[in-house]
Amino acid sequence: MSQLLTSRQAEELHKSMIAYLTSTKLLNSAAALRQELAIGDTFDDATSKKYEGLLEKKWTSVVRLQKKIMDLESRNSSLQSELDSATPTSLSRRNQDPTSWLPRSPARHTLQSHRNPITSVAFHPIFSSLASASEDATLKIWDWELGELERTIKGHTKAVLDCDFGGPRGGTLLASCSQDLTIKLWDPSDEYKNIRTLPGHDHSVSSVRFIPSGAAGSPSSGNLLVSASRDKTLRIWDVTTGYCVKTLRGHSDWVRSVAPSFDGRWLLSAGNDQVARLWDASSGEVKATFLGHEHVIECCGLAPAAAYPHLAALVGLKKAPPASSSGEFLATGSRDKSIKIWDSRGTLIKTLIGHDNWVRGVLFHPGGKYLLSISDDKSIRCWDLSQEGKCVKTIDDAHSHFVSCIRWAPGVIKGPVAAGGDMTNGEVGKAKDDPGGKESIRCVIATGCVDMSVRVFAS
C-alpha cells in the first residue's frame, strides 16, 4: 500500500486510523498502532480531534462516488446501445424527422389529480385536450400542451376502465366504459355533458373504441362504437340512436381489449382466454384466431399501413400489401411478458422478449418503423421493426409503478380535408390512405399509471 500513497498521504491515513480507533474506545489497538508506527507525543488530543471523522467521511464518500459511477455507467451503456441500434440515416434525420422520433425521459408533464390508478388515456382529435380514466370513477380532461387540469367528469358509479374520442363527422364525442356495466357518451362541445348512457353488457365493460367509417374525405368519422366486456362479448353500438346493433360472441372468457382497423372494416379483440380474434365488423364473423400466448392477453393493436413495408420484409414478402388494405398485421401483448406480431391469417411472425412483467399496452408508431410497449415493469420499450423487432430503446423510469396505458396523439391533417373530418384517437396513420389530406405525425405520447399520474412525452 505504501507504494500507492505518498509519505504525506500515508501519514494522514495512519493518523486518521489512530483517531478512529481512539474515538471508538479501542485504546489498546490505537496504542499498539502508535507504537508500531513510532508516532509519539506529537499526536495529542487536538490532533486526534482533527483526524477523528476523516476515515468515516472518506469511506462514505467512496461508496457514494461508486454509486454515482455505476449510475453513470448504466446511463452510458443505454445511450451506447441506442447509438449502436441507430443507423447513420436515422441519427441524422432523427431530430427533424417525426417518423424516427421516440419518447425520451424525462416527461414534459406529469399530470396529477386522480385519487386511484389511471386505466386509460385518450387524445382529442383536434384540440390539445387529453382525457384520462381512473379507478376513482371519474374522467379528467387536461390541456396536454400546458400540463393543466381543465375539468373532472363525474357520472360513473364504479371504476372507469377505458375512454376514447371519436364519433360523427364534425361532432366529436368522448366515450367511456366502466365496471358499473355501462358505456357513457359525453359531448366536449357542451361542457362534456353526459348525452347518452348505453346499458346492455352483463359485466364490467373493459374497453371501448369508436369505429372509423373509412369514408372518403373523412376516413375517421363514424357513428359506430365497439365495446369489449367481462361478459365474454363484444358489442357494436350506434351512437346517434344509442342502440346495440350487433353482439359478437366467440371468446370463452373476459374480453379485455378491442381495436378497430383504420378503415373500420376489422375489429381485433383479446382477453383472458389467451386467444386473439380478428372479426369482420360488418358481418360479425371471425376472420382469424391467434393462438400462442401462455397467459391472459392484456392488449392488442392493428398495424398502420406505414408499417407494412417493414413487417412484409420481416415475413419475407417481396412486396408489401397495398396501403389501402387494412388489418394486414397486428400485435398482442400478454401477461406471459411477451409481445407477438402476427399476419392477418393467424401466422406468428415474431415474438418480442424483453419486458420483466406483464405487458399492458402495445402501440404502433404512426411512422410505421417502430412498435412501442408498456409493462408492469414500469418501462416503455421501443422495438425497431426494420431491424427484425430489435429493442432499440428502453425508458426504465417511465413511471414509479405499473404503466397501465399508452396513446399517441392523433396527427394533424393538412390539405383539402374539411375541419370537421376528425381523426379518431389512437387510429394513427390512416389519413395517409385518404387522398383528401396528408397527415403529419405529432410527436406526443401520453401514458397512465397505477401511481395515479398521467405523463406526457413530447419532442
Side-chain angles (χ1 to χ4, degrees), residues 360-435:
R360 297 287 296 275
V362 288
L363 175 67
F364 282 96
H365 191 301
K369 191 182 168 195
Y370 302 100
L371 176 72
L372 279 70
S373 59
I374 53 161
S375 160
D376 280 359
D377 65 12
K378 309 177 194 173
S379 76
I380 301 173
R381 284 179 182 261
C382 309
W383 313 82
D384 189 336
L385 302 175
S386 68
Q387 296 188 60
E388 300 201 347
K390 178 181 174 184
C391 181
V392 292
K393 181 161 194 177
T394 304
I395 302 174
D396 285 315
D397 52 350
H399 279 273
S400 61
H401 210 308
F402 304 159
V403 191
S404 54
C405 51
I406 183 167
R407 281 284 183 96
W408 200 291
V412 187
I413 299 180
K414 296 172 178 173
V417 174
D422 302 355
M423 288 293 297
T424 305
N425 168 59
E427 299 310 307
V428 284
K430 55 174 140 12
K432 292 193 177 67
D433 309 316
D434 168 37

Side-chain angles (χ1 to χ4, degrees), residues 14-40 43 48:
H14 295 149
K15 285 180 176 174
S16 41
M17 284 164 72
I18 294 165
Y20 173 72
L21 292 168
T22 309
S23 70
T24 51
K25 303 285 185 286
L26 299 167
L27 303 176
N28 293 341
S29 306
L33 190 57
R34 280 173 78 152
Q35 192 181 341
E36 276 196 46
L37 295 169
I39 294 176
F43 196 79
S48 182

Side-chain angles (χ1 to χ4, degrees), residues 53-62 64:
L54 198 61
L55 206 60
E56 287 118 308
K57 209 179 287 171
K58 296 228 171 177
W59 183 265
T60 50
S61 64
V62 164
R64 207 165 44 244

Side-chain angles (χ1 to χ4, degrees), residues 1-21:
M1 186 156 90
S2 52
Q3 292 113 348
L4 285 176
L5 300 178
T6 65
S7 55
R8 180 170 167 73
Q9 286 173 327
E11 188 188 339
E12 297 250 298
L13 176 61
H14 295 149
K15 285 180 176 174
S16 41
M17 284 164 72
I18 294 165
Y20 173 72
L21 292 168

Side-chain angles (χ1 to χ4, degrees), residues 5 8 63 101 104 131 146-147 151 249 262 301 310 335 363-364 369 386 423:
L5 300 178
R8 180 170 167 73
V63 173
W101 179 82
R104 57 174 9 164
L146 301 174
R151 71 174 65 237
R249 300 178 203 278
F262 56 72
H310 305 297
R335 291 185 184 179
L363 175 67
F364 282 96
K369 191 182 168 195
S386 68
M423 288 293 297

Side-chain angles (χ1 to χ4, degrees), residues 250-252 268-271 273-278 286-295 297 330-332 334 336 338-351:
H251 282 283
S252 60
L268 175 63
S269 62
D273 62 9
Q274 303 174 26
V275 181
R277 288 174 168 77
L278 189 65
V286 174
K287 182 196 180 189
T289 51
F290 306 86
L291 289 88
H293 280 295
E294 291 163 14
H295 206 323
I297 303 176
L330 53 122
T332 52
S334 163
D336 64 16
S338 77
I339 297 153
K340 291 184 185 288
I341 299 173
W342 318 76
D343 71 12
S344 58
R345 291 184 297 284
T347 313
L348 177 63
I349 298 169
K350 191 85 186 167
T351 300

Side-chain angles (χ1 to χ4, degrees), residues 247-263:
T247 302
L248 309 181
R249 300 178 203 278
H251 282 283
S252 60
D253 205 335
W254 187 342
V255 193
R256 285 183 176 270
S257 178
V258 63
S261 62
F262 56 72
D263 57 0

